[in-house]
């Protein structure tokens, strides 16, 4: 592996001018346009559910939405575009606007009596949200309450939240942000306008990283690891642990794919048995495997040129169709792991569909 490049100093907390992200161009534009259209048309909903993988830009989109609604600059040609300079815009960005409140695992820790980050948003937090929803807007015409990590709400907490959604306060917009919207009750989802934010092309992530000065080689590496989530990429260049964890997942996945058949199965069993304790990590490795198999498939397609899919497999090479089947099996495994199929079975079914790559070096 190439030596690790350090992120430029400007990213490591050196004071500088506050850059207003407005609507960052690295967020899925199809999703942000829906929110912006609602503002332009003056049809702002009572509740939105922004869904999408971690780091795709849900929080940044919610912040831009809040800024656009709170912005006090009158002469804006597009009401959905915050000016980014007025006091209201800057306060939203700093998390200091009285009409914009965020509830998340992090804010919950800060308000809790006992320290330690809980794994779920508690019913107490939902009660705080309900009280916040009863207040009138102080500076603008609307309060925006953002519930990050909404997928961690357990059922009693969701039931409490449902009451707010059933009788929404008039001047309040709730923004639920969830990595896994399936974790929410159907009754909650049906009362929200769901806006799915999808990963963006790798080039968009590279651009987002290079703008604040990340060197090209690091930007390309981080973008490759980002799975199209520029928010994650921007955090990863500032947090070495985050970046290293993802590098490790990729290395583990590459070794696993390249290992002999017997070892492949042993790894599947081991990770399956440890799934309960290492859920995030195992899912990360499987996601990394999907990406590696895709890269291999593209390389194989380019390498074999016009080689016919019906031709017998030449020794030492793997045909694109083989990778394609492997990718399908791996995507299926990911879906099974998220829907509580026994992890060991899901991982075993996946690796038996993987090509035998032990003759190829990576
Ligand atoms: Zn403004």
């Amino acid at each position: 592996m190439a030596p690790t490049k350090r992120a430029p100093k400007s990213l490591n907390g050196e004071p500088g001018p506050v850059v207003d992200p407005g609507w960052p161009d690295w967020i899925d534009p199809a999703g942000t346009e829906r929110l912006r259209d609602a503002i332009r048309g003056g049809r702002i909903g009572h509740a939105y559910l922004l869904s999408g993988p971690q780091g795709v830009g849900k929080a940044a989109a919610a912040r831009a939405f809040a800024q656009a609604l709170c912005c006090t600059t009158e002469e804006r040609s597009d009401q959905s575009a915050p000016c980014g300079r007025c006091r209201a815009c800057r306060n939203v960005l700093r998390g200091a606007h009285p009409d914009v409140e965020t509830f998340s695992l992090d804010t919950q820790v800060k308000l809790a009596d006992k320290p330690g980050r809980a794994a779920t948003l508690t019913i107490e937090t939902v009660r705080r949200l309900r009280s916040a929803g009863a207040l009138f807007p102080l500076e603008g015409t609307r309060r925006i309450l953002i519930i990050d990590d909404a997928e961690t709400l357990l059922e009693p907490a969701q039931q409490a939240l449902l009451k707010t959604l059933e009788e929404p306060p008039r001047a309040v917009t709730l923004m639920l942000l969830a990595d896994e919207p399936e974790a929410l009750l159907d009754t909650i989802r049906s009362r929200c306008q769901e806006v799915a934010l999808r990963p963006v092309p790798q080039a968009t992530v590279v651009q987002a990283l290079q703008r604040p000065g990340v060197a090209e080689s690091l930007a390309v590496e981080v973008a490759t690891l980002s799975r199209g989530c520029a928010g994650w990429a921007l955090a990863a260049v500032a947090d070495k642990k985050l970046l290293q964890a993802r590098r490790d997942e990729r290395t583990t996945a590459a070794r696993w794919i390249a290992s002999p058949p017997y070892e492949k199965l042993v790894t599947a069993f081991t990770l399956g048995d440890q799934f309960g304790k290492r859920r995030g990590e195992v899912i990360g490795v499987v996601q990394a495997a999907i990406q590696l198999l895709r890269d291999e498939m593209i390389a194989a397609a380019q390498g074999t040129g016009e080689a016919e899919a019906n031709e017998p497999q030449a020794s030492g090479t793997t045909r694109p169709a083989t990778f394609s089947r492997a990718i399908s099996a791996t995507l299926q495994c990911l879906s099974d792991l998220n829907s509580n199929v026994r992890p060991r079975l899901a991982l075993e079914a996946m690796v038996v569909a993987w090509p035998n790559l032990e003759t190829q070096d990576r």
Side-chain angles (χ1 to χ4, degrees), residues 67-68 70-73 76 81-90:
Q67 270 188 319
C70 295
C71 180
T72 52
T73 300
R76 283 182 289 156
C83 79
R85 292 180 305 276
C86 71
R87 201 174 62 88
C89 276
R90 284 181 285 126

Side-chain angles (χ1 to χ4, degrees), residues 14-30:
E14 251 182 30
V18 176
V19 181
D20 165 53
W23 290 94
D25 61 2
W26 47 260
I27 308 177
D28 173 19

